[in-house]
Amino acid sequence: MFGLKEDWSLDAPPRYFTLEDYTGNEARWCPGCGGHSVLGVVQRICRDKQLPPEKTVSVSGIGCSSRFPHYMATYGFHGLHGRALPIACGIKSRRPDLNVWVSSGDGDCFSIGAGHWVHAIRYNMDMVLMVFDNAIYGLTKAQTSPTTHQGTKTNTHPLGAPLPSINPLTVTLGVSNVSFVAQTVDWNVPHLYATLKTAYEHKGFSFVRILQRCPQFSEHTYEEYKKDASRLKLLKHEKGIQLDDKITARFPVQHEHDPSDKAKALTLANDLDPIPIGLLYWDPDAPSYSDFTRLGLEMPVDKKIAALNDALDHFAI
Amino acid sequence: MFGLKEDWSLDAPPRYFTLEDYTGNEARWCPGCGGHSVLGVVQRICRDKQLPPEKTVSVSGIGCSSRFPHYMATYGFHGLHGRALPIACGIKSRRPDLNVWVSSGDGDCFSIGAGHWVHAIRYNMDMVLMVFDNAIYGLTKAQTSPTTHQGTKTNTHPLGAPLPSINPLTVTLGVSNVSFVAQTVDWNVPHLYATLKTAYEHKGFSFVRILQRCPQFSEHTYEEYKKDASRLKLLKHEKGIQLDDKITARFPVQHEHDPSDKAKALTLANDLDPIPIGLLYWDPDAPSYSDFTRLGLEMPVDKKIAALNDALDHFAI
Amino acid sequence: MNTACPGKKSVDEYIVEIVSDAGEGAQKAGQIFGAVSAKMGNGVWTVEIIPAEIKPPARSPAGASGIRVRVGADAITNMGDEANLVVAFNEQVLFGRIANGAYSPGTIILLENKWRNDPDKEIVQQYLNAVEGFTEQGFIVHELAMEEACMAITPTPAVGKNMFVLGILCHLLNRDLDKAAHEIQAIFKRKGEATVALNEQLVRAGCEFAATQLTFNFDIQPLSNDRSLIVTNGNQALGLGVMASGMELVSMYPITPATSASHYIASVFPSVGGCVHQAEDEIAAIGFAIGASYAGKTACTITSGPGLALKTEFLGLAVMTEIPLVICLVQRGGPSTGLPTKVEQSDLLASLFGATGDTPKIILAAATIEECFHFVVTARKLAEQFRTPVILLTDANLATGVQPYPRPQICEEWLAPPIDQSKWDPSIPAYNWDEKTGLSQRPIPGQEGGEYVVTGLSHTDRSKVAYDPASHQKGCAMRSRKIAVLQSTLKPPEIFGEKTGDLLIIGWGSTKGSIEEAVQRAQKEEIKVSAVHLRFLSPLEPGLKKIFAGFKQLITIEINYTDEIEQPYINEESQRYAQLALLLRARTLMDIDSWSHVFGQPIQPGAIYREICRRLGNDHSGSGLTDNNSGE
Amino acid sequence: MNTACPGKKSVDEYIVEIVSDAGEGAQKAGQIFGAVSAKMGNGVWTVEIIPAEIKPPARSPAGASGIRVRVGADAITNMGDEANLVVAFNEQVLFGRIANGAYSPGTIILLENKWRNDPDKEIVQQYLNAVEGFTEQGFIVHELAMEEACMAITPTPAVGKNMFVLGILCHLLNRDLDKAAHEIQAIFKRKGEATVALNEQLVRAGCEFAATQLTFNFDIQPLSNDRSLIVTNGNQALGLGVMASGMELVSMYPITPATSASHYIASVFPSVGGCVHQAEDEIAAIGFAIGASYAGKTACTITSGPGLALKTEFLGLAVMTEIPLVICLVQRGGPSTGLPTKVEQSDLLASLFGATGDTPKIILAAATIEECFHFVVTARKLAEQFRTPVILLTDANLATGVQPYPRPQICEEWLAPPIDQSKWDPSIPAYNWDEKTGLSQRPIPGQEGGEYVVTGLSHTDRSKVAYDPASHQKGCAMRSRKIAVLQSTLKPPEIFGEKTGDLLIIGWGSTKGSIEEAVQRAQKEEIKVSAVHLRFLSPLEPGLKKIFAGFKQLITIEINYTDEIEQPYINEESQRYAQLALLLRARTLMDIDSWSHVFGQPIQPGAIYREICRRLGNDHSGSGLTDNNSGE
Ligand SMILES: Cc1ncc(C[n+]2csc(CCOP(=O)(O)OP(=O)(O)O)c2C)c(N)n1
Ligand SMILES: Cc1ncc(C[n+]2csc(CCOP(=O)(O)OP(=O)(O)O)c2C)c(N)n1
Ligand code: SF4
Ligand code: SF4
Ligand SMILES: [Mg+2]
Ligand SMILES: [Mg+2]
């Protein structure tokens, strides 16, 4: 403009985003629901990273956790039960410029969405998947989810869930091209913040399982873990989640773990007591499917028309 | 009958089943297709185990491999693409007396059927799942499957499959309650036979990945492995697949592996050259969902009626 | 003991509501009130008022949680029109109900008055404004210190208030307090004697409180009835029906409003030897059911709209392979996720035409809660006899409505005999189609000689894959023929009213009670209107054209969308019809109009009555409410 | 150079087939023959004969693999009736074709005769029996030593025989050998000069062989045409259309017969900057497309019946959330897995009504291969303008048929401008519905001020979740209104023939060519029949009632199932209608009958002609074949 260099341009008033810029409808989760703290953390990360709200899309399936987009003031897509990931990948495919956050539940992601979960890990497109794992179907009122503990009584299994629960971490780690696997808890906000921020910064698909309290239907699932920090094992490493020493000090059980070691990550993932929290696995170099889907995005129209005519020529008689 | 002991009864003529009793329609796979050898082996196992054809059900999805049931003379269910496992589990749920064999393809099982695959492993119902992995979509003519090697040109990826292929073994091993994971190849018939027979004998869900040649569309995928036996690593163990010494001797690379060691199984599963063949993991004690679904099967009618009346009483005014 | 007081007014029926924030126990109080009324021999219809969120904030219009109970001297078949009386725990929850047209001028509001003295000034102001507004709208507001009165009995009135309200209602409608005590014992006995005693005490206190504070009182004569009755909601009826039908497997994935049926079944199924399978998704749920059905154990899958959408492909397979299967579809508002907790009848066309290709199947719709029970039994029988999937349509209105009805007599024949494992004559094909009827008997795995391979591909009678013209045409014809055969066994539907007249209302599903109540009211005023209600949607019951010919105007009343002819761009050519109307037009070529809304609510009899009057040019409509805000 | 010989007979059109075992190259020979004919200015229709298995056994009736080419002086719009001449590589493959009614008495069979001397006695016997049978059926059999003749040129005649046959056909129909040589060069140049030379030599040898061995010869005058043409099949046309429409993403999961469209696109998409996403399943495929569309890049998903079934739930979401999306549905035989490679038009009702709840959407059907191209471009435009999913129906007949048609002129406007990322006025709601039309403009992520949350729940114009009656009714009305608005912009369909008459045939989709050919033939005989062909199925084109009123009888002709009225139990009350017929009956209340079959085959013009005669009581039918074995 006026022949000025772009960074001299007068047109671009600096925008600074505050928390309000990310605050959508009032969150209608139950009091004490772990969703509230995740929401606050994501809003803070957006603010701290100064993500333009219009360039940010919050995508979800259906479930309590999937109400997330409504509580953000960014663009949002509250989709279908189990189908957040195909939508999110589709968005990213031709809009790599958008920041995509995906919220899913343990039923949404590991049950009805299981096929998409496995494949989205493999696609490794740049986005953060937050699985709100409350080990129960919340929105539909207390049915068994794949992570419900064996024996827990639910409305569909009044005599107790018949099978051992699935371990989402080991499945995720088993998928080739996996690039970022972390676990955190809703009730340790600094850890939650650090984990999701690191996930956001990872250029690829970040799988973050958040152990989430549901006082309404699975009150007891994480009670012990919350009360007794020694039931959690903090994973530490220079390549891992970075925390203040003050925060770190609160964890009696700590474990040095190099997140580039997949075999060790698998061993850790199998430990259920104490539960590992932190970054289990990280591979910044895994190929991303975006490199394939974005091809040709910038192609000028005349080139397209020429190519189209070539294609027609091929069939000309 | 006549007050005689059951085993004196004259009513039950001994039946002996020959291979013909399992031979259905003529197999219409391409010449050289790996399907033929799997079919022959399954028919032989049925014969050797003297499975009554009427008590045996061959279930499949859609694909070349899923034509399997038509070539058996037992009961069969040629279902929907990706959905063999829900059907098979449903059959087993209230008919634990039936022998169930499931045939699936790499697309059928790992792509469209991925969610059911993960969950069927967890259900651990007694059946054999044979995945005919030819690393391509055969029936629909050469599209990329999840196990297609990165870079392989297919009709949907003429410039080469963009992503590393999925490793079905590591995903399977990552699912809690997994009880039997084996890998074999269609071109080594004794190994194929021993593996499928062991799978059949396992009381639980047996996952068997069969590397299967498709001369029509993925001719080169396993060529090297077939030519050069040292590209395969034979897993041996007293709890593993038992083979004749003569057969064993044909494998230059052998590896002692205790199939109860899941961590080692995972390490082996990650080895792609040489490819491990044999039993990677075995847990005969994993709980089966059948124990839940079969409950009440034998309940007499009068007890049911009484219970129904109790249920009505509950609402009586 | 009966608390009837002198000066009581006798009425034919009365509608009460209790509305509160979620978790205040209004529903429990209403359920007991309904049960007591039913046991006294009255007609009853109970329906829950469900908030949109699991835990909506307190004192919010959208958070209204509660219950409506309609009690009558005669049988009651629907939730009725505007309530006569509502007990409200705060004033805010009334706004949503008012917007939905739940009340009309003259409705009595018994309102907790503690908000008048709330420390929060804003709340006080809200309260005062509301009371003023209610009065202006013609409601009769009684401000009552209910919580305060409870405090005399319990230190935690918040958890006991509901029983106190029950007491108030028992007084006002002369309910039998012993019966109420009996219910309380049954419900609270697990929580110990102290709880039972406290709750009983609260009820009696409420009763006395009403006697001193309120001067009105109503009496409803009970229906004389010597048949034994049960009281259930539609989903419980469905669950009982599944068990009585002899099906041993329900394969489902949770989805509102269908899930509570599965919850109920899960809680009692083991006692009859059955099993609820919660699958990983709806596709697996129907696939699993098909597997079991194929293996001889006809199974049931229960779902709602989005779940049906996912089952589409398997439904087509079941038709193609002629596997018996029962699909209970508890309809909710659509499209897409739509209105998960609210009623709509908009999955009829999807049930009929959802699957690709030609997929004839049987479709039934229950019109009453009692039919929810019996139609499952019928559905199983039809599924097996016609070797086909059967869809049983119910909806959120039936699912959550509660009503007494005759206790079903369980039949041993309903419980299927053990599956046939005798030898099969191998010369008989797996689809041994009777050329005339399309019917055939199927071999069950385990039957020696019956071995065949089910396939969704086009096939011959021996289930061999066949792509030739004759085989495909034959298979399609045989599957279609069965539906015609079923139709030939059905009787024409009964006409409610005269055989000829000015207007015939055609309905299906849960609207029956409201339609017939409205029609009866109009008939009493000599309006020439009759009604006919369809239970079979595929095939349709026979004789419709003949019935229709007796009337000058024909309309369907349905809870699904139709374009209204007065709207912009909507004309004879563009108007999209209500779902049954479309079918009947194609079938009869008669000019069948429809009157339908998608308000997420049952259609009230008053609204139908007004529509009848409007159509026939008699404006008998007594209510000043327009259709748009009366919320039918 | 032209090999025309004296004594040639001039004909208006000629149908040849080449049939062989799979892998013998019959299709390649036929394609070249078709291309040469098109380049000579003739009308051409080519259609492949596809066996059921990937590699069926040799010499099996079910294994027939080959091609049919219909060449005419005029434009050719369909595959025609019985072939005039067939070249067969063995006698067995002819049986399947005969059963399908591909030939009639008088059809010339050029049969490879090497089987006469086969070492296997059984084969010799089969061959002799067959030749005898063919002759008895009235076919004119010429046994030819084709393979032997090839051996003189190449040691591996099995791979060259097809070019030799091409040569034979070039002689018999006086095709331009230079043009054939040109095609051969284009196709084989990658395999090296020797291959090109050998193939050319084989063609010339075949030509000379025919000249010496056969005494007949036909001449077809070319159409004079100065427009530039292209020759494609329908799936290629679809692919070209997708690219020309400016869509940048095709998100699909493989399924026959849709997949080859994606194969073609995948092979050229990078050159126009587009991407084919092969998803993990059909649900993910449409979800991914919806994601991209939502983000401003309107996408396309291509599928067939079973795939559509899986997309049902997402389709409902797209309607509810008003996300533009193009769904190309290449129909195949159903229900269920059905007839994967064969044609049917039986997904119309599933497209319209498949999704639960009320899901108005736009549905178009291409009637010609050329329309496969242009309708994708239209579909994208409509999807965006009306903010809705658009389903474009084609079928296996269009997908595999090959035809020359005018080369489309690519428009720059078709390629959408870069997506709008300018600021959005935040006071404008995300669904800023124009009350009158239901239309609105949508904010695209990246537009500052437009932030909103898409939801499949019932919502207000600001996309806020809302369960109140008014919001839901409003949303449904707005989504439905758009369809009426589109209808108001459409013109009535053109009538093919007179505006009044004894019979009107109503068709849609790929049957147009056959219907109009049959109608024209009847019209020439003064039969009062006309035809009308619908391109829009939702909304329907306007003016239909008026058009229909001009005719005494109305029938639809469709390739989907309808009960035949003469069959047992099928009567006026039970008959299930063909799909378009059902819609039109409901719409017009006129007695619209239908004539339809599910033979897995295109309907031949001769069959339609005979049906016209039958309906109108003139038995002009020249052929002795009954409908049941003529395989339309
Ligand atoms: C296709 C479909 N099936 C089922 C449902 C009903 N449904 C909504 S949320 C939900 C499960 C919720 O559990 P989860 O994913 O763990 O989320 P949470 O509510 O616990 O956060 C179900 C079954 C639906 N909306 N759509
Ligand atoms: C719902 C649905 N989607 C797609 C198809 C088409 N289809 C049939 S088989 C197949 C893939 C076959 O590949 P694979 O499972 O690897 O089996 P293979 O043929 O290689 O044995 C596909 C996509 C279908 N029949 N149904
Ligand atoms: S039900 Fe559970 S998950 Fe849902 S909002 Fe309440 S506490 Fe949170
Ligand atoms: S295409 Fe491949 S997998 Fe299919 S039958 Fe042929 S060789 Fe076997
Ligand atoms: Mg959950
Ligand atoms: Mg494969």
Side-chain angles (χ1 to χ4, degrees), chain A residues 28-35 64-65 134 136 138-139 212-218, chain C residues 54-55:
Chain A
R28 287 290 177 84
W29 290 305
C30 306
C33 174
C64 289
S65 35
N134 55 5
I136 196 81
L139 190 71
Q212 178 230 336
R213 287 162 306 156
C214 168
Q216 186 73 11
F217 296 122
S218 60
Chain C
I54 300 260
K55 276 235 170 154

mmCIF file of all heavy atoms in Angstrom, chain A residues 28-35 64-65 134 136 138-139 212-218, chain C residues 54-55, ligand 3:
data_model
loop_
_atom_site.group_PDB
_atom_site.id
_atom_site.type_symbol
_atom_site.label_atom_id
_atom_site.label_comp_id
_atom_site.label_asym_id
_atom_site.label_seq_id
_atom_site.Cartn_x
_atom_site.Cartn_y
_atom_site.Cartn_z
ATOM 1 N N ARG A 28 -22.056 -24.665 30.786
ATOM 2 C CA ARG A 28 -23.176 -25.293 31.476
ATOM 3 C C ARG A 28 -22.861 -26.696 31.974
ATOM 4 O O ARG A 28 -23.710 -27.568 31.986
ATOM 5 C CB ARG A 28 -24.384 -25.365 30.517
ATOM 6 C CG ARG A 28 -25.048 -24.046 30.270
ATOM 7 C CD ARG A 28 -25.792 -23.562 31.507
ATOM 8 N NE ARG A 28 -26.377 -22.251 31.300
ATOM 9 C CZ ARG A 28 -27.551 -22.024 30.715
ATOM 10 N NH1 ARG A 28 -28.268 -23.036 30.275
ATOM 11 N NH2 ARG A 28 -28.009 -20.794 30.567
ATOM 12 N N TRP A 29 -21.580 -26.925 32.299
ATOM 13 C CA TRP A 29 -21.268 -28.208 32.913
ATOM 14 C C TRP A 29 -21.663 -28.171 34.385
ATOM 15 O O TRP A 29 -21.804 -27.098 34.974
ATOM 16 C CB TRP A 29 -19.776 -28.508 32.801
ATOM 17 C CG TRP A 29 -19.292 -28.804 31.416
ATOM 18 C CD1 TRP A 29 -19.759 -29.746 30.566
ATOM 19 C CD2 TRP A 29 -18.219 -28.145 30.727
ATOM 20 N NE1 TRP A 29 -19.043 -29.730 29.393
ATOM 21 C CE2 TRP A 29 -18.082 -28.752 29.467
ATOM 22 C CE3 TRP A 29 -17.339 -27.093 31.047
ATOM 23 C CZ2 TRP A 29 -17.125 -28.369 28.528
ATOM 24 C CZ3 TRP A 29 -16.381 -26.713 30.128
ATOM 25 C CH2 TRP A 29 -16.286 -27.338 28.880
ATOM 26 N N CYS A 30 -21.811 -29.340 34.995
ATOM 27 C CA CYS A 30 -22.133 -29.402 36.418
ATOM 28 C C CYS A 30 -21.049 -28.687 37.225
ATOM 29 O O CYS A 30 -19.886 -28.651 36.816
ATOM 30 C CB CYS A 30 -22.159 -30.847 36.916
ATOM 31 S SG CYS A 30 -23.227 -31.930 35.987
ATOM 32 N N PRO A 31 -21.407 -28.190 38.389
ATOM 33 C CA PRO A 31 -20.389 -27.640 39.279
ATOM 34 C C PRO A 31 -19.398 -28.755 39.618
ATOM 35 O O PRO A 31 -19.790 -29.899 39.811
ATOM 36 C CB PRO A 31 -21.181 -27.245 40.528
ATOM 37 C CG PRO A 31 -22.622 -27.237 40.131
ATOM 38 C CD PRO A 31 -22.779 -28.134 38.961
ATOM 39 N N GLY A 32 -18.125 -28.419 39.601
ATOM 40 C CA GLY A 32 -17.114 -29.417 39.933
ATOM 41 C C GLY A 32 -16.713 -30.289 38.774
ATOM 42 O O GLY A 32 -15.810 -31.117 38.890
ATOM 43 N N CYS A 33 -17.355 -30.103 37.648
ATOM 44 C CA CYS A 33 -16.998 -30.893 36.464
ATOM 45 C C CYS A 33 -15.610 -30.475 35.994
ATOM 46 O O CYS A 33 -15.290 -29.275 35.951
ATOM 47 C CB CYS A 33 -18.001 -30.634 35.352
ATOM 48 S SG CYS A 33 -17.558 -31.435 33.799
ATOM 49 N N GLY A 34 -14.806 -31.467 35.618
ATOM 50 C CA GLY A 34 -13.452 -31.177 35.166
ATOM 51 C C GLY A 34 -13.401 -30.344 33.904
ATOM 52 O O GLY A 34 -12.372 -29.718 33.600
ATOM 53 N N GLY A 35 -14.492 -30.318 33.177
ATOM 54 C CA GLY A 35 -14.521 -29.529 31.952
ATOM 55 C C GLY A 35 -14.156 -28.078 32.174
ATOM 56 O O GLY A 35 -13.439 -27.471 31.364
ATOM 57 N N CYS A 64 -20.902 -34.412 26.922
ATOM 58 C CA CYS A 64 -20.708 -33.235 27.772
ATOM 59 C C CYS A 64 -19.490 -32.461 27.293
ATOM 60 O O CYS A 64 -19.531 -31.254 27.077
ATOM 61 C CB CYS A 64 -20.465 -33.658 29.219
ATOM 62 S SG CYS A 64 -21.929 -34.305 30.007
ATOM 63 N N SER A 65 -18.386 -33.196 27.156
ATOM 64 C CA SER A 65 -17.124 -32.584 26.762
ATOM 65 C C SER A 65 -17.229 -31.895 25.410
ATOM 66 O O SER A 65 -16.558 -30.901 25.148
ATOM 67 C CB SER A 65 -16.048 -33.658 26.724
ATOM 68 O OG SER A 65 -16.600 -34.890 26.277
ATOM 69 N N ASN A 134 -13.667 -39.175 31.476
ATOM 70 C CA ASN A 134 -14.312 -39.297 32.784
ATOM 71 C C ASN A 134 -14.764 -40.729 33.041
ATOM 72 O O ASN A 134 -15.504 -41.001 33.971
ATOM 73 C CB ASN A 134 -15.492 -38.322 32.918
ATOM 74 C CG ASN A 134 -16.490 -38.494 31.791
ATOM 75 O OD1 ASN A 134 -16.349 -39.409 30.965
ATOM 76 N ND2 ASN A 134 -17.497 -37.644 31.746
ATOM 77 N N ILE A 136 -16.890 -42.572 31.763
ATOM 78 C CA ILE A 136 -18.341 -42.787 31.795
ATOM 79 C C ILE A 136 -18.968 -42.013 30.648
ATOM 80 O O ILE A 136 -18.355 -41.105 30.105
ATOM 81 C CB ILE A 136 -18.940 -42.298 33.155
ATOM 82 C CG1 ILE A 136 -20.345 -42.849 33.407
ATOM 83 C CG2 ILE A 136 -18.977 -40.759 33.219
ATOM 84 C CD1 ILE A 136 -20.359 -44.254 33.932
ATOM 85 N N GLY A 138 -21.268 -39.304 30.092
ATOM 86 C CA GLY A 138 -21.872 -38.278 30.919
ATOM 87 C C GLY A 138 -23.205 -37.800 30.374
ATOM 88 O O GLY A 138 -24.248 -37.936 31.015
ATOM 89 N N LEU A 139 -23.179 -37.285 29.170
ATOM 90 C CA LEU A 139 -24.366 -36.615 28.637
ATOM 91 C C LEU A 139 -25.595 -37.516 28.634
ATOM 92 O O LEU A 139 -26.709 -37.070 28.882
ATOM 93 C CB LEU A 139 -24.096 -36.107 27.217
ATOM 94 C CG LEU A 139 -25.182 -35.189 26.656
ATOM 95 C CD1 LEU A 139 -25.164 -33.836 27.344
ATOM 96 C CD2 LEU A 139 -25.012 -34.991 25.158
ATOM 97 N N GLN A 212 -10.555 -36.745 33.716
ATOM 98 C CA GLN A 212 -11.496 -35.666 34.000
ATOM 99 C C GLN A 212 -12.540 -36.105 35.004
ATOM 100 O O GLN A 212 -13.188 -37.136 34.841
ATOM 101 C CB GLN A 212 -12.184 -35.235 32.690
ATOM 102 C CG GLN A 212 -13.214 -34.149 32.873
ATOM 103 C CD GLN A 212 -14.533 -34.506 32.205
ATOM 104 O OE1 GLN A 212 -14.582 -35.304 31.280
ATOM 105 N NE2 GLN A 212 -15.611 -33.915 32.692
ATOM 106 N N ARG A 213 -12.707 -35.304 36.015
ATOM 107 C CA ARG A 213 -13.695 -35.644 37.038
ATOM 108 C C ARG A 213 -15.118 -35.374 36.555
ATOM 109 O O ARG A 213 -15.389 -34.352 35.938
ATOM 110 C CB ARG A 213 -13.440 -34.822 38.311
ATOM 111 C CG ARG A 213 -12.224 -35.273 39.096
ATOM 112 C CD ARG A 213 -11.800 -34.191 40.044
ATOM 113 N NE ARG A 213 -11.614 -32.939 39.304
ATOM 114 C CZ ARG A 213 -11.698 -31.737 39.838
ATOM 115 N NH1 ARG A 213 -11.959 -31.601 41.121
ATOM 116 N NH2 ARG A 213 -11.504 -30.666 39.093
ATOM 117 N N CYS A 214 -15.987 -36.303 36.875
ATOM 118 C CA CYS A 214 -17.408 -36.134 36.599
ATOM 119 C C CYS A 214 -18.129 -36.374 37.915
ATOM 120 O O CYS A 214 -18.501 -37.503 38.223
ATOM 121 C CB CYS A 214 -17.859 -37.131 35.539
ATOM 122 S SG CYS A 214 -19.650 -37.250 35.359
ATOM 123 N N PRO A 215 -18.284 -35.324 38.718
ATOM 124 C CA PRO A 215 -18.910 -35.533 40.023
ATOM 125 C C PRO A 215 -20.328 -36.091 39.900
ATOM 126 O O PRO A 215 -20.831 -36.738 40.808
ATOM 127 C CB PRO A 215 -18.902 -34.139 40.649
ATOM 128 C CG PRO A 215 -18.503 -33.187 39.596
ATOM 129 C CD PRO A 215 -17.853 -33.941 38.498
ATOM 130 N N GLN A 216 -20.930 -35.885 38.763
ATOM 131 C CA GLN A 216 -22.303 -36.327 38.606
ATOM 132 C C GLN A 216 -22.420 -37.843 38.472
ATOM 133 O O GLN A 216 -23.254 -38.460 39.106
ATOM 134 C CB GLN A 216 -22.893 -35.640 37.357
ATOM 135 C CG GLN A 216 -24.362 -35.866 37.127
ATOM 136 C CD GLN A 216 -25.220 -35.086 38.122
ATOM 137 O OE1 GLN A 216 -24.736 -34.228 38.850
ATOM 138 N NE2 GLN A 216 -26.501 -35.414 38.174
ATOM 139 N N PHE A 217 -21.553 -38.425 37.655
ATOM 140 C CA PHE A 217 -21.750 -39.852 37.358
ATOM 141 C C PHE A 217 -20.562 -40.753 37.632
ATOM 142 O O PHE A 217 -20.696 -41.977 37.594
ATOM 143 C CB PHE A 217 -22.177 -40.032 35.898
ATOM 144 C CG PHE A 217 -23.500 -39.421 35.568
ATOM 145 C CD1 PHE A 217 -23.613 -38.460 34.566
ATOM 146 C CD2 PHE A 217 -24.648 -39.779 36.271
ATOM 147 C CE1 PHE A 217 -24.840 -37.890 34.261
ATOM 148 C CE2 PHE A 217 -25.874 -39.212 35.970
ATOM 149 C CZ PHE A 217 -25.975 -38.267 34.971
ATOM 150 N N SER A 218 -19.392 -40.196 37.820
ATOM 151 C CA SER A 218 -18.264 -41.084 38.124
ATOM 152 C C SER A 218 -17.406 -40.423 39.193
ATOM 153 O O SER A 218 -16.189 -40.318 39.065
ATOM 154 C CB SER A 218 -17.452 -41.409 36.860
ATOM 155 O OG SER A 218 -16.911 -40.246 36.267
ATOM 156 N N ILE C 54 -27.598 -31.379 31.798
ATOM 157 C CA ILE C 54 -27.560 -32.308 32.931
ATOM 158 C C ILE C 54 -27.789 -31.535 34.225
ATOM 159 O O ILE C 54 -28.623 -31.870 35.039
ATOM 160 C CB ILE C 54 -26.182 -33.014 33.003
ATOM 161 C CG1 ILE C 54 -25.910 -33.806 31.734
ATOM 162 C CG2 ILE C 54 -26.093 -33.867 34.258
ATOM 163 C CD1 ILE C 54 -26.162 -35.269 31.827
ATOM 164 N N LYS C 55 -27.016 -30.490 34.425
ATOM 165 C CA LYS C 55 -27.173 -29.666 35.622
ATOM 166 C C LYS C 55 -27.283 -28.197 35.223
ATOM 167 O O LYS C 55 -26.297 -27.453 35.271
ATOM 168 C CB LYS C 55 -25.957 -29.852 36.552
ATOM 169 C CG LYS C 55 -26.077 -31.071 37.442
ATOM 170 C CD LYS C 55 -25.925 -30.684 38.918
ATOM 171 C CE LYS C 55 -26.289 -31.826 39.831
ATOM 172 N NZ LYS C 55 -25.624 -31.765 41.133
HETATM 173 S S1 SF4 E 3 -22.377 -35.126 33.813
HETATM 174 FE FE1 SF4 E 3 -20.219 -35.261 34.401
HETATM 175 S S2 SF4 E 3 -19.062 -34.749 32.559
HETATM 176 FE FE2 SF4 E 3 -21.164 -34.058 32.272
HETATM 177 S S3 SF4 E 3 -21.151 -31.899 32.911
HETATM 178 FE FE3 SF4 E 3 -21.783 -33.133 34.674
HETATM 179 S S4 SF4 E 3 -19.888 -33.559 35.770
HETATM 180 FE FE4 SF4 E 3 -19.301 -32.856 33.733
#
